[in-house]
Amino acid sequence: MADGAALTEPRLVRWLLTGAALAFLGVFLFVPLALVFAKALADGFGAYVEAIREPVALAAVRLTLTAAAIAVPVNLLFGLAAAWSIAKFRFPGKNLLITLIDLPFSVSPVISGMIYVLLFGAHGIFGPWLQAHDVKIIFAVPGIVLATIFVTSPMVARELIPLMQSQGNDEEEAALTLGASGLQTFFRVSLPKIRWGLLYGVVLCNARAMGEFGAVSVVSGHIRGATNTMPLHVEILYNEYQFSAAFAVASLLALLALVTLAIKSVIEWRTAR
Amino acid sequence: MRNMRFLPAMMIGALLWTGSVHAAGIKLLNVSYDPTRELYQDVNGAFAKSWKARTGQDVAIQQSHGGSGKQARSVIDGLEADVVTLALAYDVDAIANSGLIAKNWQTRLANNSTPYTSTIVFLVRKGNPKKIKDWDDLARPGVAVITPNPKTSGGARWNYLAAWGYALHKFGNDPNKAKDFVAKIYKNVPVLDTGARGATVTFVERGIGDVLIAWENEALLAVKGEMGAKGDFQIVAPSISILAEPPVTVVDKVAAKHKTTQVATAYLQFLYTPEGQEIAARHYYRPRNEQVAAKYAAQLPKLQLFTIDQVFGGWAKAQQTHFADGGVFDQIYGAGR
């Protein structure tokens, strides 16, 4: 331990600090996580599989995956465009744009859901037109997708802006001087430079998209087998006293979080190299 | 990142995937309140069978549950319910006021469009350690009472009105004394959940509170161990309670748009058939049908019940006086904090 000598704290203090941090993690992270899986398997593995294979549960899984499969690519494109314009160009209102990008993080998800009800609800601004044309947004899949996109929209942009700002434009300029076209520069120079940051943003965006509860709950209408996402389905099962089924679906979500963490660690490790 | 090119294909694929979920046949959406989940699961299966036998058509009924007031709000905001089966007439009136349901809806089916009734009882922990016998005990200091928020929950409004009716009876119809009495009860409430089911979970699962003011059917569900903790609770019936009438009706505009008026009406009429009444009684609702009621008399004993019309002059008036912004509930709950 080369830097050990530089530390002035006595060994006991270091142990106490480390111990406190681990105990905290244990109580607030590992124990609840273990409990989720324990509760999920409380009625045996057969019941666990049964709970997940329920048509209503499968529909919830499918809806969650659908919402994420649309929200993540949309936000990937949006985040890339936003970060690109902020990092590479100067224009008036740039700071305002950065603030606006953060807006979905700072407002409560309930408000995020409510704005869509105000916009697309039967008595909302577009409500009468939508009803006249038989287009369903609120209390249907499009509303859920929109709400998910809204709450996860800052994820990729937030990840890319500082990265692209710190990298500067030197390499792109060199590529252009050497005769590369704009698209070539983008795919061969810019994208490889930011790929890990981009992937990191996508992973976080995906995790949030699948886990979102508040905004989606407002616009969902809670129709079983049609507009319930996994988090909403977990709540419903819990309220129906189907605890092991609730935790079975919850464990799927928890698994997703673990996979996300693993991917995130791999990305961090690759970036650090 | 070459795979970015596949993004549009992925998105289209995802949309097609959701599209394929919806199967053919008639679909009904029943927007209901919290504690009816188990009831309508059974009703839906039985009705689908009887409809198939009668007409040869397949009908699939989708469910949505939540606090009654919140559910009504969603229907007004565009949740396309073919039928609503809510906790109280006022919430259906709210939908009717938005123009989706005919104003005379309550006269369209028998018994004020209420195929089953329930009442409000107390659920206490095993052995009744706080010796709770009647409404008076809920106003005692040191008793923690669990009841949901009357602003969002229909059940909670019945709870509140039941307490109020008892107080009026006790204090010779003196509204000031009744108000003090009900205020004392709400001073004992540590959490106001948004729906009846949330309150039951707070009491049963989270172990908070000494007494839960509950729908009789919720209380019986807990006592029979259908919440996984058999024998941990017992029911105490107060000396007087309210006859809770949860109404059902077709949402005219939506049903007309979906062309489901006929099947939606048949669905609600099915609740009045002996089979429907039997299912209701099995789920601890009080059936209107005398024969079915007699059969289940042991678990649904006769209680002294008053109706909202007798004591409060109907829902519109009760809502205005007690639950509107700045109404009596706001006064006592705000003051109690």
Side-chain angles (χ1 to χ4, degrees):
Chain A
M1 290 263 281
D3 54 353
L7 293 174
T8 49
E9 285 89 355
R11 194 166 287 239
L12 184 69
V13 173
R14 272 187 280 153
W15 282 357
L16 275 178
L17 281 175
T18 318
L22 283 179
F24 181 87
L25 275 181
V27 171
F28 287 98
L29 198 70
F30 296 127
V31 171
L33 203 58
L35 267 181
V36 167
F37 286 96
K39 276 256 186 189
L41 293 167
D43 292 351
F45 190 71
Y48 178 87
V49 175
E50 195 81 349
I52 289 169
R53 285 187 49 191
E54 261 269 306
V56 181
L58 279 182
V61 172
R62 195 174 310 164
L63 179 59
T64 294
L65 294 179
T66 306
I70 299 173
V72 172
V74 165
N75 282 326
L76 181 115
L77 294 178
F78 163 75
L80 209 52
W84 188 272
S85 53
I86 284 166
K88 310 275 176 189
F89 306 112
R90 285 162 189 276
F91 54 91
K94 190 158 141 176
N95 281 326
L96 185 69
L97 181 63
I98 297 179
T99 315
L100 282 179
I101 288 174
D102 273 344
L103 192 72
F105 273 175
S106 47
V107 299
S108 159
V110 177
I111 313 286
S112 313
M114 221 95 93
I115 55 173
Y116 287 104
V117 175
L118 291 179
L119 277 177
F120 303 117
H123 298 275
I125 297 173
F126 303 117
W129 186 90
L130 290 170
Q131 286 210 319
H133 293 79
D134 201 22
V135 181
K136 275 200 258 180
I137 293 189
I138 294 297
F139 310 122
V141 177
I144 290 167
V145 172
L146 277 178
T148 309
I149 290 177
F150 182 82
V151 292
T152 57
S153 59
M155 290 288 188
V156 176
R158 268 283 116 201
E159 207 52 53
L160 287 184
I161 290 169
L163 181 68
M164 289 174 88
Q165 272 174 338
S166 71
Q167 283 176 341
N169 291 336
D170 300 351
E171 290 166 34
E172 279 85 351
E173 278 162 13
L176 289 172
T177 332
L178 291 172
S181 73
L183 271 182
Q184 279 176 321
T185 316
F186 177 74
F187 280 107
R188 305 227 165 153
V189 181
S190 306
L191 212 46
K193 278 205 306 188
I194 57 163
R195 64 181 170 200
W196 294 113
L198 189 67
L199 208 54
Y200 188 69
V202 165
V203 166
L204 287 182
C205 182
N206 185 49
R208 178 71 195 271
M210 294 197 182
E212 176 56 28
F213 180 85
V216 168
S217 174
V218 175
V219 298
S220 142
H222 305 277
I223 307 168
R224 296 157 152 265
T227 63
N228 276 323
T229 60
M230 279 166 80
L232 299 182
H233 189 59
V234 171
E235 195 211 16
I236 286 179
L237 288 173
Y238 185 76
N239 279 344
E240 285 179 357
Y241 311 104
Q242 301 186 34
F243 298 114
S244 58
F247 282 101
V249 180
S251 73
L252 273 188
L253 272 173
L255 266 181
L256 174 87
L258 290 178
V259 169
T260 308
L261 271 181
I263 298 176
K264 183 176 149 267
S265 309
V266 169
I267 293 171
E268 271 166 358
W269 174 70
R270 292 288 303 251
T271 328
R273 252 192 350 175
Chain B
M1 292 234 127
R2 313 190 127 259
N3 46 9
M4 294 238 293
R5 290 180 204 158
F6 297 117
L7 288 182
M10 262 173 69
M11 287 160 72
I12 293 166
L15 278 175
L16 290 178
W17 198 24
T18 9
S20 66
V21 180
H22 308 295
I26 310 172
K27 257 194 332 192
L28 283 184
L29 175 58
N30 176 2
V31 170
S32 194
Y33 62 112
D34 257 333
T36 56
R37 299 160 196 262
E38 294 81 6
L39 165 68
Y40 280 108
Q41 231 158 42
D42 281 6
V43 167
N44 293 349
F47 172 71
K49 222 185 253 166
S50 109
W51 185 256
K52 175 101 180 164
R54 255 168 67 194
T55 65
Q57 290 170 316
D58 286 312
V59 57
I61 296 128
Q62 293 183 312
Q63 287 294 136
S64 167
H65 295 275
S68 186
K70 188 190 107 191
Q71 294 292 80
R73 177 80 248 171
S74 295
V75 172
I76 294 170
D77 278 334
L79 180 59
E80 296 197 346
D82 300 277
V83 300
V84 286
T85 53
L86 295 177
L88 42 89
Y90 183 79
D91 289 326
V92 183
D93 281 337
I95 304 173
N97 284 335
S98 78
L100 292 172
I101 300 174
K103 295 267 186 197
N104 69 343
W105 65 269
Q106 201 150 18
T107 61
R108 295 192 295 200
L109 289 165
N111 304 104
N112 285 330
S113 292
T114 314
Y116 44 81
T117 65
S118 189
T119 186
I120 301 300
V121 297
F122 306 147
L123 189 67
V124 297
R125 304 202 182 274
K126 192 182 175 181
N128 198 359
K130 295 266 172 146
K131 309 230 171 339
I132 286 153
K133 295 206 179 67
D134 209 342
W135 292 100
D136 298 288
D137 300 307
L138 271 53
R140 248 176 17 209
V143 174
V145 179
I146 302 296
T147 179
N149 186 351
K151 294 272 185 173
T152 50
S153 157
R157 273 176 257 179
W158 290 113
N159 294 352
Y160 171 99
L161 294 175
W164 193 273
Y166 169 80
L168 281 179
H169 181 80
K170 180 179 166 155
F171 298 112
N173 288 324
D174 182 339
N176 288 323
K177 284 189 177 154
K179 185 172 167 184
D180 285 345
F181 181 82
V182 176
K184 274 191 202 150
I185 293 182
Y186 277 86
K187 222 171 251 173
N188 284 339
V189 177
V191 264
L192 281 179
D193 285 288
T194 52
R197 188 48 69 88
T200 313
V201 169
T202 296
F203 184 78
V204 170
E205 272 300 305
R206 293 167 59 201
I208 297 175
D210 301 310
V211 53
L212 173 75
I213 314 179
W215 289 102
E216 182 178 45
N217 53 291
E218 279 284 281
L220 278 161
L221 212 59
V223 169
K224 303 277 175 184
E226 293 189 24
M227 300 169 182
K230 192 170 176 148
D232 292 349
F233 308 98
Q234 62 190 69
I235 289 177
V236 175
S239 60
I240 304 177
S241 195
I242 197 163
L243 179 74
E245 298 174 294
V248 301
T249 197
V250 174
V251 183
D252 301 305
K253 283 259 170 78
V254 177
K257 183 176 155 193
H258 294 172
K259 300 189 176 60
T260 51
T261 308
Q262 199 193 352
V263 57
T265 309
Y267 176 64
L268 296 183
Q269 279 162 349
F270 179 76
L271 295 168
Y272 289 88
T273 63
E275 191 184 359
Q277 293 281 294
E278 187 82 45
I279 295 173
R282 268 211 307 277
H283 288 277
Y284 316 122
Y285 289 85
R286 292 176 173 244
R288 293 283 194 183
N289 183 312
E290 298 285 337
Q291 280 144 356
V292 180
K295 196 172 148 194
Y296 287 85
Q299 81 183 12
L300 302 165
K302 274 225 161 17
L303 298 175
Q304 194 189 337
L305 302 176
F306 60 87
T307 70
I308 184 160
D309 293 344
Q310 287 164 1
V311 176
F312 299 93
W315 264 111
K317 226 170 135 195
Q319 179 76 22
Q320 192 57 35
T321 317
H322 292 278
F323 308 119
D325 277 334
V328 178
F329 176 73
D330 278 349
Q331 292 163 27
I332 63 172
Y333 197 68
R337 298 284 105 181

